[in-house]
C-alpha cells in the first residue's frame, strides 16, 4: 500500500525538498502541495490523503486552524495530520494536539525520523518529538484554551477499569511494550485495550486519547519541580 501525503508549507524550497524525500520511498508519494491552510483544506477534500504534513505559520489560514477543520470533518476522518514547524514550543504542541493533530516534529528533524514519523502517524499511533517536554505539554492540555472545553469525566463511563488503566499509561507517554511490561500482559492485549478505548471515546488516534485523558481528569499533570 502506498501512503498518500499532502504537503502544506508556504516555503516552495522546503516543499520541493520534502517531495523529493517522500517520493524517493517505495511506500509513499506526495499527491498535492498547498501554500496555506485554506488550500490545504481544499486539497485534502479533493485528494483524501492518508496524511497532511502541515506547517503552523502560513499566510491567511494557519496550520493549526486548518488542522482543526480537517480533523473535525467526518468526511476526512481517514486523514491524519503531522505538524512540522520551526516553532516547537510547548503551547504550540498543546494547540496542535487539541486541534486533532497526531504528531509534532521540528523542522530540524532528520530524514529517517521524518519518514518514520509519517509511517507511525498513518498507522494510527501518536508522535511527539523528544524536545516536546511532556510535563509542560500536559500542563497545557489539562487547561482548556479560550473558548475550549474540558471533556466531562462521565465520558469515561463506557470504559472498563482495565481500559482506563491502559489509557492513563498511554497519556503518560508509555509505549505498548512498556505498558505490557507494567501490567504483565502482551503488547497485543494492550493494543486491543487502546483500540477499544479509542472506539468508545470516538478518538481518532492515540494523540486524541491523550487529550481526553487529561481533559477528563483521568490523568493529572505532575506538579512543577521547585
Amino acid at each position: 500500500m502506498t501512503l498518500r501525503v499532502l504537503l502544506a508549507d508556504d516555503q516552495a524550497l522546503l516543499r520541493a525538498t520534502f517531495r523529493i524525500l517522500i517520493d524517493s520511498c517505495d511506500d509513499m508519494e506526495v499527491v498535492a502541495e498547498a501554500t496555506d491552510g485554506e488550500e490545504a483544506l481544499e486539497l485534502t477534500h479533493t485528494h483524501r490523503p492518508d496524511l497532511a504534513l502541515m506547517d503552523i505559520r502560513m499566510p491567511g489560514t494557519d496550520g493549526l486552524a486548518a488542522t482543526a477543520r480537517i480533523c473535525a470533518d467526518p468526511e476526512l476522518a481517514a486523514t491524519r495530520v503531522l505538524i512540522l514547524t520551526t516553532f516547537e514550543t510547548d503551547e504550540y504542541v498543546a494547540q496542535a494536539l487539541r486541534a486533532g493533530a497526531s504528531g509534532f516534529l521540528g523542522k530540524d528533524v532528520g530524514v529517517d525520523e521524518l519518514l518514520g514519523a509519517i509511517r507511525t502517524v498513518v498507522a494510527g499511533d501518536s508522535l511527539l518529538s523528544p524536545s516536546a517536554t511532556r510535563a509542560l505539554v500536559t500542563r497545557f492540555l489539562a487547561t482548556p484554551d479560550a473558548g475550549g472545553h474540558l471533556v466531562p469525566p462521565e465520558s469515561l463511563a463506557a470504559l472498563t477499569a482495565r481500559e482506563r488503566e491502559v489509557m492513563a499509561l498511554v497519556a503518560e507517554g508509555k509505549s505498548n511494550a512498556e505498558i505490557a511490561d507494567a501490567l504483565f500482559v502482551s503488547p497485543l492485549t494492550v493494543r486491543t485495550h487502546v483500540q477499544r478505548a479509542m472506539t468508545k471515546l470516538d478518538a481518532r488516534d492515540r494523540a486524541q486519547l491523550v487529550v481526553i485523558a487529561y481533559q477528563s481528569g483521568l490523568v493529572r499533570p505532575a506538579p512543577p519541580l521547585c
Side-chain angles (χ1 to χ4, degrees), residues 14-34:
L14 201 56
R15 291 198 312 276
T17 300
F18 288 154
R19 175 181 279 277
I20 291 172
L21 294 175
I22 292 170
D23 285 346
S24 69
C25 299
D26 293 335
D27 63 338
M28 61 181 75
E29 65 174 339
V30 174
V31 296
E33 297 183 24

PDB file of all heavy atoms in Angstrom, residues 14-34:
ATOM      1  N   LEU A  14      11.254  24.269   0.646  1.00  0.00           N
ATOM      2  CA  LEU A  14      11.043  23.227   1.650  1.00  0.00           C
ATOM      3  C   LEU A  14      10.080  22.166   1.125  1.00  0.00           C
ATOM      4  O   LEU A  14      10.303  20.960   1.300  1.00  0.00           O
ATOM      5  CB  LEU A  14      10.503  23.848   2.932  1.00  0.00           C
ATOM      6  CG  LEU A  14      10.694  23.039   4.215  1.00  0.00           C
ATOM      7  CD1 LEU A  14      12.164  22.722   4.439  1.00  0.00           C
ATOM      8  CD2 LEU A  14      10.138  23.808   5.402  1.00  0.00           C
ATOM      9  N   ARG A  15       9.023  22.607   0.453  1.00  0.00           N
ATOM     10  CA  ARG A  15       8.079  21.639  -0.121  1.00  0.00           C
ATOM     11  C   ARG A  15       8.778  20.763  -1.149  1.00  0.00           C
ATOM     12  O   ARG A  15       8.558  19.550  -1.193  1.00  0.00           O
ATOM     13  CB  ARG A  15       6.886  22.344  -0.788  1.00  0.00           C
ATOM     14  CG  ARG A  15       5.940  23.050   0.168  1.00  0.00           C
ATOM     15  CD  ARG A  15       4.583  23.322  -0.509  1.00  0.00           C
ATOM     16  NE  ARG A  15       4.705  23.905  -1.826  1.00  0.00           N
ATOM     17  CZ  ARG A  15       4.861  25.203  -2.083  1.00  0.00           C
ATOM     18  NH1 ARG A  15       4.932  26.069  -1.076  1.00  0.00           N
ATOM     19  NH2 ARG A  15       4.942  25.651  -3.327  1.00  0.00           N
ATOM     20  N   ALA A  16       9.629  21.365  -1.973  1.00  0.00           N
ATOM     21  CA  ALA A  16      10.335  20.606  -3.002  1.00  0.00           C
ATOM     22  C   ALA A  16      11.254  19.565  -2.368  1.00  0.00           C
ATOM     23  O   ALA A  16      11.360  18.430  -2.843  1.00  0.00           O
ATOM     24  CB  ALA A  16      11.134  21.552  -3.893  1.00  0.00           C
ATOM     25  N   THR A  17      11.909  19.960  -1.266  1.00  0.00           N
ATOM     26  CA  THR A  17      12.807  19.036  -0.563  1.00  0.00           C
ATOM     27  C   THR A  17      12.027  17.866   0.013  1.00  0.00           C
ATOM     28  O   THR A  17      12.423  16.698  -0.127  1.00  0.00           O
ATOM     29  CB  THR A  17      13.543  19.771   0.567  1.00  0.00           C
ATOM     30  OG1 THR A  17      14.304  20.846   0.014  1.00  0.00           O
ATOM     31  CG2 THR A  17      14.474  18.823   1.303  1.00  0.00           C
ATOM     32  N   PHE A  18      10.894  18.173   0.660  1.00  0.00           N
ATOM     33  CA  PHE A  18      10.074  17.113   1.247  1.00  0.00           C
ATOM     34  C   PHE A  18       9.520  16.190   0.169  1.00  0.00           C
ATOM     35  O   PHE A  18       9.435  14.977   0.357  1.00  0.00           O
ATOM     36  CB  PHE A  18       8.915  17.714   2.050  1.00  0.00           C
ATOM     37  CG  PHE A  18       9.345  18.357   3.340  1.00  0.00           C
ATOM     38  CD1 PHE A  18       8.590  19.364   3.909  1.00  0.00           C
ATOM     39  CD2 PHE A  18      10.499  17.959   3.987  1.00  0.00           C
ATOM     40  CE1 PHE A  18       8.977  19.966   5.099  1.00  0.00           C
ATOM     41  CE2 PHE A  18      10.897  18.546   5.173  1.00  0.00           C
ATOM     42  CZ  PHE A  18      10.136  19.553   5.733  1.00  0.00           C
ATOM     43  N   ARG A  19       9.145  16.772  -0.973  1.00  0.00           N
ATOM     44  CA  ARG A  19       8.602  15.953  -2.063  1.00  0.00           C
ATOM     45  C   ARG A  19       9.662  14.955  -2.556  1.00  0.00           C
ATOM     46  O   ARG A  19       9.350  13.773  -2.773  1.00  0.00           O
ATOM     47  CB  ARG A  19       8.126  16.825  -3.216  1.00  0.00           C
ATOM     48  CG  ARG A  19       7.663  16.017  -4.433  1.00  0.00           C
ATOM     49  CD  ARG A  19       7.218  16.896  -5.568  1.00  0.00           C
ATOM     50  NE  ARG A  19       5.855  17.378  -5.408  1.00  0.00           N
ATOM     51  CZ  ARG A  19       4.774  16.687  -5.739  1.00  0.00           C
ATOM     52  NH1 ARG A  19       4.887  15.476  -6.259  1.00  0.00           N
ATOM     53  NH2 ARG A  19       3.572  17.215  -5.579  1.00  0.00           N
ATOM     54  N   ILE A  20      10.878  15.423  -2.731  1.00  0.00           N
ATOM     55  CA  ILE A  20      11.956  14.541  -3.199  1.00  0.00           C
ATOM     56  C   ILE A  20      12.169  13.397  -2.205  1.00  0.00           C
ATOM     57  O   ILE A  20      12.302  12.229  -2.590  1.00  0.00           O
ATOM     58  CB  ILE A  20      13.263  15.342  -3.394  1.00  0.00           C
ATOM     59  CG1 ILE A  20      13.116  16.293  -4.584  1.00  0.00           C
ATOM     60  CG2 ILE A  20      14.443  14.396  -3.603  1.00  0.00           C
ATOM     61  CD1 ILE A  20      14.276  17.262  -4.725  1.00  0.00           C
ATOM     62  N   LEU A  21      12.208  13.738  -0.898  1.00  0.00           N
ATOM     63  CA  LEU A  21      12.444  12.726   0.133  1.00  0.00           C
ATOM     64  C   LEU A  21      11.312  11.699   0.172  1.00  0.00           C
ATOM     65  O   LEU A  21      11.552  10.490   0.220  1.00  0.00           O
ATOM     66  CB  LEU A  21      12.575  13.394   1.503  1.00  0.00           C
ATOM     67  CG  LEU A  21      13.790  14.298   1.699  1.00  0.00           C
ATOM     68  CD1 LEU A  21      13.719  14.993   3.058  1.00  0.00           C
ATOM     69  CD2 LEU A  21      15.078  13.502   1.582  1.00  0.00           C
ATOM     70  N   ILE A  22      10.088  12.195   0.141  1.00  0.00           N
ATOM     71  CA  ILE A  22       8.931  11.297   0.253  1.00  0.00           C
ATOM     72  C   ILE A  22       8.753  10.456  -1.001  1.00  0.00           C
ATOM     73  O   ILE A  22       8.524   9.244  -0.934  1.00  0.00           O
ATOM     74  CB  ILE A  22       7.661  12.116   0.557  1.00  0.00           C
ATOM     75  CG1 ILE A  22       7.762  12.722   1.966  1.00  0.00           C
ATOM     76  CG2 ILE A  22       6.406  11.251   0.434  1.00  0.00           C
ATOM     77  CD1 ILE A  22       6.691  13.735   2.283  1.00  0.00           C
ATOM     78  N   ASP A  23       8.886  11.079  -2.173  1.00  0.00           N
ATOM     79  CA  ASP A  23       8.704  10.343  -3.424  1.00  0.00           C
ATOM     80  C   ASP A  23       9.823   9.335  -3.681  1.00  0.00           C
ATOM     81  O   ASP A  23       9.672   8.439  -4.527  1.00  0.00           O
ATOM     82  CB  ASP A  23       8.612  11.316  -4.606  1.00  0.00           C
ATOM     83  CG  ASP A  23       7.270  12.037  -4.674  1.00  0.00           C
ATOM     84  OD1 ASP A  23       6.339  11.597  -3.977  1.00  0.00           O
ATOM     85  OD2 ASP A  23       7.163  13.031  -5.420  1.00  0.00           O
ATOM     86  N   SER A  24      10.933   9.478  -2.959  1.00  0.00           N
ATOM     87  CA  SER A  24      12.032   8.522  -3.120  1.00  0.00           C
ATOM     88  C   SER A  24      11.733   7.195  -2.427  1.00  0.00           C
ATOM     89  O   SER A  24      12.440   6.199  -2.644  1.00  0.00           O
ATOM     90  CB  SER A  24      13.336   9.099  -2.565  1.00  0.00           C
ATOM     91  OG  SER A  24      13.281   9.212  -1.148  1.00  0.00           O
ATOM     92  N   CYS A  25      10.696   7.164  -1.593  1.00  0.00           N
ATOM     93  CA  CYS A  25      10.320   5.945  -0.877  1.00  0.00           C
ATOM     94  C   CYS A  25       9.322   5.135  -1.695  1.00  0.00           C
ATOM     95  O   CYS A  25       8.411   5.690  -2.304  1.00  0.00           O
ATOM     96  CB  CYS A  25       9.699   6.297   0.480  1.00  0.00           C
ATOM     97  SG  CYS A  25      10.809   7.189   1.580  1.00  0.00           S
ATOM     98  N   ASP A  26       9.485   3.821  -1.678  1.00  0.00           N
ATOM     99  CA  ASP A  26       8.602   2.957  -2.442  1.00  0.00           C
ATOM    100  C   ASP A  26       7.185   2.919  -1.870  1.00  0.00           C
ATOM    101  O   ASP A  26       6.229   2.607  -2.590  1.00  0.00           O
ATOM    102  CB  ASP A  26       9.152   1.524  -2.483  1.00  0.00           C
ATOM    103  CG  ASP A  26      10.455   1.434  -3.270  1.00  0.00           C
ATOM    104  OD1 ASP A  26      10.663   2.302  -4.145  1.00  0.00           O
ATOM    105  OD2 ASP A  26      11.240   0.517  -2.999  1.00  0.00           O
ATOM    106  N   ASP A  27       7.048   3.236  -0.566  1.00  0.00           N
ATOM    107  CA  ASP A  27       5.753   3.064   0.086  1.00  0.00           C
ATOM    108  C   ASP A  27       5.004   4.369   0.332  1.00  0.00           C
ATOM    109  O   ASP A  27       4.015   4.394   1.050  1.00  0.00           O
ATOM    110  CB  ASP A  27       5.925   2.319   1.415  1.00  0.00           C
ATOM    111  CG  ASP A  27       6.779   3.099   2.403  1.00  0.00           C
ATOM    112  OD1 ASP A  27       7.565   3.967   1.969  1.00  0.00           O
ATOM    113  OD2 ASP A  27       6.656   2.835   3.607  1.00  0.00           O
ATOM    114  N   MET A  28       5.464   5.487  -0.273  1.00  0.00           N
ATOM    115  CA  MET A  28       4.741   6.747  -0.094  1.00  0.00           C
ATOM    116  C   MET A  28       4.946   7.677  -1.273  1.00  0.00           C
ATOM    117  O   MET A  28       5.924   7.561  -2.016  1.00  0.00           O
ATOM    118  CB  MET A  28       5.134   7.421   1.221  1.00  0.00           C
ATOM    119  CG  MET A  28       6.584   7.793   1.371  1.00  0.00           C
ATOM    120  SD  MET A  28       6.919   8.568   3.005  1.00  0.00           S
ATOM    121  CE  MET A  28       6.877   7.139   4.098  1.00  0.00           C
ATOM    122  N   GLU A  29       4.008   8.604  -1.439  1.00  0.00           N
ATOM    123  CA  GLU A  29       4.085   9.572  -2.523  1.00  0.00           C
ATOM    124  C   GLU A  29       3.379  10.862  -2.125  1.00  0.00           C
ATOM    125  O   GLU A  29       2.451  10.854  -1.312  1.00  0.00           O
ATOM    126  CB  GLU A  29       3.444   9.019  -3.792  1.00  0.00           C
ATOM    127  CG  GLU A  29       1.938   8.788  -3.661  1.00  0.00           C
ATOM    128  CD  GLU A  29       1.289   8.366  -4.968  1.00  0.00           C
ATOM    129  OE1 GLU A  29       1.882   8.628  -6.030  1.00  0.00           O
ATOM    130  OE2 GLU A  29       0.182   7.793  -4.923  1.00  0.00           O
ATOM    131  N   VAL A  30       3.822  11.991  -2.674  1.00  0.00           N
ATOM    132  CA  VAL A  30       3.171  13.274  -2.474  1.00  0.00           C
ATOM    133  C   VAL A  30       2.082  13.414  -3.522  1.00  0.00           C
ATOM    134  O   VAL A  30       2.352  13.320  -4.722  1.00  0.00           O
ATOM    135  CB  VAL A  30       4.176  14.440  -2.577  1.00  0.00           C
ATOM    136  CG1 VAL A  30       3.444  15.780  -2.515  1.00  0.00           C
ATOM    137  CG2 VAL A  30       5.212  14.354  -1.468  1.00  0.00           C
ATOM    138  N   VAL A  31       0.850  13.660  -3.084  1.00  0.00           N
ATOM    139  CA  VAL A  31      -0.265  13.760  -4.024  1.00  0.00           C
ATOM    140  C   VAL A  31      -0.703  15.204  -4.266  1.00  0.00           C
ATOM    141  O   VAL A  31      -1.415  15.488  -5.231  1.00  0.00           O
ATOM    142  CB  VAL A  31      -1.479  12.938  -3.547  1.00  0.00           C
ATOM    143  CG1 VAL A  31      -1.132  11.463  -3.520  1.00  0.00           C
ATOM    144  CG2 VAL A  31      -1.960  13.403  -2.177  1.00  0.00           C
ATOM    145  N   ALA A  32      -0.267  16.139  -3.380  1.00  0.00           N
ATOM    146  CA  ALA A  32      -0.658  17.540  -3.562  1.00  0.00           C
ATOM    147  C   ALA A  32       0.208  18.428  -2.676  1.00  0.00           C
ATOM    148  O   ALA A  32       0.783  17.970  -1.681  1.00  0.00           O
ATOM    149  CB  ALA A  32      -2.135  17.741  -3.216  1.00  0.00           C
ATOM    150  N   GLU A  33       0.308  19.715  -3.060  1.00  0.00           N
ATOM    151  CA  GLU A  33       1.049  20.703  -2.288  1.00  0.00           C
ATOM    152  C   GLU A  33       0.171  21.932  -2.069  1.00  0.00           C
ATOM    153  O   GLU A  33      -0.502  22.393  -2.986  1.00  0.00           O
ATOM    154  CB  GLU A  33       2.327  21.118  -3.008  1.00  0.00           C
ATOM    155  CG  GLU A  33       3.333  19.989  -3.204  1.00  0.00           C
ATOM    156  CD  GLU A  33       4.612  20.492  -3.863  1.00  0.00           C
ATOM    157  OE1 GLU A  33       4.911  21.700  -3.754  1.00  0.00           O
ATOM    158  OE2 GLU A  33       5.293  19.664  -4.503  1.00  0.00           O
ATOM    159  N   ALA A  34       0.193  22.461  -0.841  1.00  0.00           N
ATOM    160  CA  ALA A  34      -0.588  23.650  -0.505  1.00  0.00           C
ATOM    161  C   ALA A  34       0.331  24.715   0.069  1.00  0.00           C
ATOM    162  O   ALA A  34       1.317  24.403   0.745  1.00  0.00           O
ATOM    163  CB  ALA A  34      -1.681  23.297   0.507  1.00  0.00           C
TER     164      ALA A  34
END
